[in-house]
Every structure is written in C-alpha cells, then in structure tokens.
Amino acid sequence: MNKFLLACITAGLLLAGLYIALSESFTHSVQSQTNTSSQINNDTNTKTLLSPQTDTLEQQQHDTTQNESESDISSETITLCDDKDVDFFALEQLAKQVSNNHGIFDNHTLLATLKDNAVTLESKITHALLSYAQNPEQPHPLITLFSEYPNNRYLAHHTLLACTTQVCDEQTIRSALNTDRNNGASWLAYASLIDPKEDPQHTLNAINNAANAQDYNEYRQQTYYFYDEALNQLNINNDLLFLIGVESILAAAPTPSFSTINKTCSNVTQDEVRLLDACINIGERLEQSQSTLISTAIGIALQRKAYEVRNDQSEIAFLNEKTQNFQKLLTQSSLATQLMWQSEQLFKNYIQVIKNSNEVDATRYLVEQAITLSNEPDFDPCVSNW
C-alpha cells in the first residue's frame, strides 16, 4: 500500500474517529443531565479533520428544516456493507491514479513545492501550517507571518490561539486582539491567556466581550480556502488530494482552547449574576455559530451548566432536548462517513459542501445524503461506486 493510500485511509479514519468521540462525549453528557454538578465537556485538544465555516453556501433548506431534520434523521436507515474486505478497494485504485497523474502525493513533497512557490498570502499561510506540522517544536510560523501582515484578521486570531502554547510578548498579544477586536472568538482566545484566579474581573470582561462582539468566527473555513487556493495555484488540486493534505493543515492550525471558559463557568455560583449571564451568552454564541461540532457541543453545555445553577428547569429541559438531537446527528454521521468512502459522488458532494459551509451544516448534509442513497432501491453498499 503506497503512502498516498495510507494517508487517505488515515484521514478517513480520523474523521470517523472524531464523530465517534464526540458521540460518546454527548452520550455521557445526556446520561448525566439530571445531575446539577455535571461537568462541561472540556476536551480542548480535539482536532477536526473537516471544519469550514462560511455562509456562502445555499443554506436556506437547512435553516427551514433544521429542527425537523435533527429529530428525523436518527429514525432513518443508513445501510453499510458487512464485508470489510471491500472497504478501501476503490480508494486504492483512485490513489494510484492520482499519484501517477500528479506526482505530489505526500506532504514533504508538497512542502518543498510550496517553499519555492509561496508568493501569495494563501500559499504563505499553507506553507506555514505544513511547515509547523512537520516541525511542531519550532515557534509557530503563523505568529511570524502576523508580524508581516499585522492587519490580517485570520493571522491575528490564530496568533492569539498560538500564544496559549507559545511564549508571546504583550505587544504581540495586544496587537492581535486589536486587529480582530470585533470577533468574539478572538476575545475568547484572549480570555485563555488570563489567569482567572489572579484576575477574575479581567476574565469576566473578556468573556463578556466575546459574548457581545459583532461576530463570532473561528476562521476554519478560511483555512480550507487558503489551502484550496494554494493547490489551485500549483495546478495540482483535486478532491482526494485536497482531503489527504488538509488533515495536516488543520492539525497544524492553532485551535480554540475552551479550558478557561469551561473552568470559569463550571465553578460559577448563583450569586455571580453577571458571570452566569456571560456564560449563557457566550454559550449561545458558540452554539449559534456552528463553527465546529466541538464549539456547538460546548456552547450547549455552557448554557446548561448555567441554567442548572439557576435551577431553571424549563431551560434545562430545552437544552437536554438539543443535546439528544445533536447526539443523534453524531451517531448517524459516523455511519454516513463510512458510506462516503464507498460512493464517489457522495464524497465529491461532501467535499464541495465542506469547503463552503460550517461543520455542523456539512455533517447534517452528509447524513441526509447517506440516508437518501441508502433508500435507493438498487443501492448496494458493498459496491464501490468510484
């Protein structure tokens, strides 16, 4: 099995693994909902393989049917093949074809190619992320790149995220926050740089600013855009090559740390009225942004914890129902992801959606399409349609 195929299979398994992990996390959350001291899911290191966010895709069909689809998709059937020997046959053939046609089938080769051709911002960011993926012990190159493009909001946001694990001077932090000051996600990243025990008021202010900001954007879709454009500029882009390489791109991109907000909202008391309001508000922003599955899950959990402290049974019941619906979506998505590797059309459709939409909407799309495919009278899940 060549390196290209191995990378492809690894990417697919990582995606399925993420859905399963999130599903288990939500199952645990549902089971503990009656306990008012239940803990907020604080997995701050989970990586998502596919998580774009933008509102450029035609989303009206999801907006008008979201509540219905969340409750209905779990009752529909996704048919999988029981014969494990055929799972990746089609992918092996496609991997050989792509590697023969393009000659660039691993990230080391791609990194060297980008190094010689990184002249646009898209290619520079892609090169920086791939470079860090291969040398994570080095200072994060996105911070250096931000010094060259101090007005770029994407780089400002990711600098704040990187500073949670890198040593950053105060000027860099304040410059990055000022550049992306209208983004709640950057204020939340800034809150992670504050010690809530030493400066609780500063933490509260940052959380309030995150909740009340004009926008909430984790820039995940932009990461896809930069990588997609870099491949287009090199004239080597296709759907499978995109998916194989993007896993390393996303792994190297700094991700939100929800540890501060989790700890702060987990320890809030009924007397801390302003902090309770802040936890509810930022939870709503996270949920409504639907940037990633993790963000949405944490947003719901933050709200539920605050309402548990207030003993608001009506809101708790409402959020419990949201949690159950979301868990159903995750359960079905793990099946839909497996089916995607058997259907070229489903795979290609999903890649186009994931490039132009947020992760939650794309996950729902994948489940809906997998159900539709499974219900076709001549559908055979053991036949690889590539």
Side-chain angles (χ1 to χ4, degrees):
M1 185 179 294
N2 60 33
K3 294 181 180 179
F4 189 86
L5 174 60
L6 181 60
C8 185
I9 294 174
T10 301
L13 293 178
L14 283 171
L15 178 58
L18 169 68
Y19 289 143
I20 294 170
L22 278 171
S23 177
E24 292 174 348
S25 174
F26 253 84
T27 300
H28 175 75
S29 178
V30 171
Q31 292 171 345
S32 63
Q33 284 168 359
T34 57
N35 184 348
T36 57
S37 63
S38 62
Q39 296 297 309
I40 295 174
N41 178 358
N42 61 354
D43 182 3
T44 60
N45 295 318
T46 302
K47 300 285 186 179
T48 54
L49 176 63
L50 296 173
S51 35
Q53 65 170 51
T54 187
D55 52 8
T56 58
L57 181 74
E58 294 181 3
Q59 296 177 356
Q60 58 268 28
Q61 59 180 351
H62 297 290
D63 295 336
T64 57
T65 62
Q66 177 174 333
N67 292 335
E68 180 182 353
S69 63
E70 283 182 346
S71 59
D72 287 350
I73 57 175
S74 63
S75 63
E76 300 288 346
T77 300
I78 295 177
T79 306
L80 300 179
C81 180
D82 293 330
D83 185 356
K84 302 302 180 183
D85 293 334
V86 303
D87 281 356
F88 296 105
F89 174 77
L91 285 179
E92 182 175 5
Q93 303 308 309
L94 186 62
K96 290 178 180 178
Q97 176 185 344
V98 173
S99 60
N100 290 336
N101 289 347
H102 295 283
I104 296 180
F105 55 89
D106 62 60
N107 287 329
H108 290 282
T109 307
L110 179 57
L111 180 63
T113 304
L114 281 169
K115 184 178 181 180
D116 296 332
N117 296 275
V119 294
T120 65
L121 181 59
E122 294 90 348
S123 58
K124 287 180 179 179
I125 289 176
T126 301
H127 178 263
L129 290 172
L130 272 178
S131 177
Y132 186 76
Q134 295 188 21
N135 302 285
E137 70 282 352
Q138 68 180 0
H140 207 296
L142 286 187
I143 299 177
T144 302
L145 205 55
F146 172 63
S147 65
E148 300 178 26
Y149 298 89
N151 296 319
N152 185 279
R153 293 192 296 271
Y154 175 94
L155 292 173
H157 174 69
H158 283 83
T159 290
L160 290 170
L161 293 177
C163 287
T164 61
T165 57
Q166 306 264 319
V167 177
C168 298
D169 59 74
E170 185 175 347
Q171 181 179 355
T172 297
I173 293 173
R174 292 197 174 278
S175 176
L177 183 61
N178 182 63
T179 295
D180 204 32
R181 60 188 174 275
N182 294 322
N183 182 10
S186 283
W187 278 103
L188 204 58
Y190 177 68
S192 298
L193 301 175
I194 307 168
D195 188 334
K197 293 183 179 179
E198 292 186 4
D199 200 343
Q201 186 59 48
H202 196 182
T203 301
L204 175 59
N205 291 340
I207 294 173
N208 274 325
N209 286 334
N212 298 320
Q214 295 178 12
D215 189 21
Y216 184 91
N217 191 346
E218 294 177 11
Y219 297 109
R220 298 291 282 180
Q221 192 275 332
Q222 281 81 351
T223 301
Y224 277 86
Y225 167 76
F226 290 137
Y227 177 59
D228 198 35
E229 282 300 300
L231 292 181
N232 286 335
Q233 290 164 17
L234 295 174
N235 198 30
I236 59 172
N237 205 356
N238 69 38
D239 290 336
L240 187 59
L241 186 61
F242 176 89
L243 181 59
I244 291 170
V246 83
E247 188 274 328
S248 294
I249 293 291
L250 292 180
T255 55
S257 171
F258 297 105
S259 59
T260 295
I261 187 68
N262 281 349
K263 290 176 183 178
T264 301
C265 292
S266 291
N267 297 321
V268 66
T269 65
Q270 197 168 17
D271 296 332
E272 297 174 289
V273 178
R274 289 187 63 210
L275 183 55
L276 274 172
D277 287 339
C279 291
I280 292 172
N281 291 338
I282 190 59
E284 289 178 347
R285 292 301 296 272
L286 283 168
E287 178 196 357
Q288 292 169 6
S289 75
Q290 298 195 347
S291 300
T292 64
L293 294 169
I294 282 288
S295 297
T296 305
I298 289 178
I300 295 173
L302 288 171
Q303 295 173 72
R304 186 174 60 246
K305 175 58 183 177
Y307 283 120
E308 285 173 349
V309 172
R310 286 183 171 173
N311 196 28
D312 189 330
Q313 295 302 317
S314 176
E315 289 291 346
I316 292 172
F318 179 61
L319 290 164
N320 286 350
E321 183 178 356
K322 282 188 176 183
T323 299
Q324 291 170 346
N325 288 335
F326 202 76
Q327 193 275 336
K328 291 173 184 177
L329 174 65
L330 294 175
T331 300
Q332 288 290 67
S333 69
S334 66
L335 303 177
T337 301
Q338 297 178 57
L339 185 59
M340 182 181 71
W341 292 109
Q342 290 299 107
S343 169
E344 180 180 13
Q345 191 58 54
L346 182 57
F347 170 82
K348 289 181 178 295
N349 289 347
Y350 179 61
I351 289 298
Q352 292 308 309
V353 172
I354 204 66
K355 288 180 180 180
N356 297 292
S357 181
N358 63 65
E359 185 176 74
V360 177
D361 204 45
T363 300
R364 187 173 294 112
Y365 169 87
L366 179 61
V367 170
E368 291 170 354
Q369 292 300 306
I371 290 172
T372 299
L373 185 62
S374 296
N375 288 333
E376 292 182 358
D378 297 328
F379 175 66
D380 184 350
C382 294
V383 175
S384 298
N385 297 311
W386 286 85

